[in-house]
Amino acid sequence: MVGGMLIIMFITSQFTAYKWMISENNIPGIGFFEFIEMQLEHGLTLKDLNTGWIGLTLSWLFQIVFPYFLAIVKIAGTTANFIIEKIPEEVLEYTIYLFDMGKLESEVRAELSQKGWKKRSDQDDVFQAIAEISAFQQMNRE
C-alpha cells in the first residue's frame, strides 16, 4: 500500500513538473510522455556536471525508495507502540517480573491465567508487547 502511494505521488510530482514547464516556457503540444522522454534524453545536470539519464534515473529511484523506508519505519514504530499500549502496564511489569524470576513460558501463562488473562490470544498479546519493548531497548543500545 505504501509503495503504491509513493508511486502515485511520484507520478503526480512528474505531472506537476510537466504542467509547470509547459506553462513557464509556453510550449503547447508536447505530451506528458514526450516530456518524460525529453527528461531522459537531457538527463540530470548538477551545476556543470551532466549525469545523463543514469543520474536522472537514480534520482527518481531515490525519490521513491527513501520515503518508502521512512514510511515503513514510521508504520513499524506506530504499530509497536499500539501493541505495547493496549496491554496494561501492571500486567507487563508482572510478566517481566515472572520471567526475571526464571519461570518458563508455560508457568507464566498459568500465572497470567490465574490473574484473569485466560485466553491464549491475550497472553500472546502480552508476550508480543514484551518482545516489542525488548526490541526498543535493543535498538536504543545500538
Side-chain angles (χ1 to χ4, degrees), residues 59-113:
S59 74
W60 286 350
L61 283 173
F62 182 77
Q63 289 177 28
I64 294 173
V65 171
F66 184 69
Y68 174 80
F69 284 115
L70 288 178
I72 293 299
V73 167
K74 182 67 174 172
I75 289 170
T78 303
T79 303
N81 280 335
F82 174 74
I83 289 169
I84 293 168
E85 288 174 0
K86 74 179 185 178
I87 306 296
E89 189 175 330
E90 297 83 20
V91 175
L92 289 174
E93 289 174 359
Y94 181 65
T95 306
I96 292 170
Y97 169 76
L98 291 174
F99 278 121
D100 285 345
M101 295 298 293
K103 296 200 179 223
L104 299 174
E105 180 181 331
S106 59
E107 296 171 326
V108 173
R109 284 186 186 275
E111 291 284 338
L112 287 174
S113 182

Side-chain angles (χ1 to χ4, degrees), residues 22-58:
I22 295 299
S23 67
E24 284 292 315
N25 296 320
N26 201 14
I27 309 172
I30 190 171
F32 177 67
F33 292 109
E34 293 169 338
F35 171 73
I36 297 293
E37 202 174 296
M38 284 175 41
Q39 276 187 312
L40 286 171
E41 287 174 6
H42 294 289
L44 177 68
T45 303
L46 303 171
K47 293 188 179 182
D48 295 330
L49 176 67
N50 187 353
T51 61
W53 66 271
I54 294 173
L56 182 65
T57 305
L58 289 175

Side-chain angles (χ1 to χ4, degrees), residues 6-35:
L6 287 171
I7 289 172
I8 290 171
M9 284 177 45
F10 174 76
I11 292 171
T12 303
S13 167
Q14 293 302 311
F15 191 74
T16 303
Y18 159 72
K19 286 293 192 181
W20 181 71
M21 291 297 286
I22 295 299
S23 67
E24 284 292 315
N25 296 320
N26 201 14
I27 309 172
I30 190 171
F32 177 67
F33 292 109
E34 293 169 338
F35 171 73

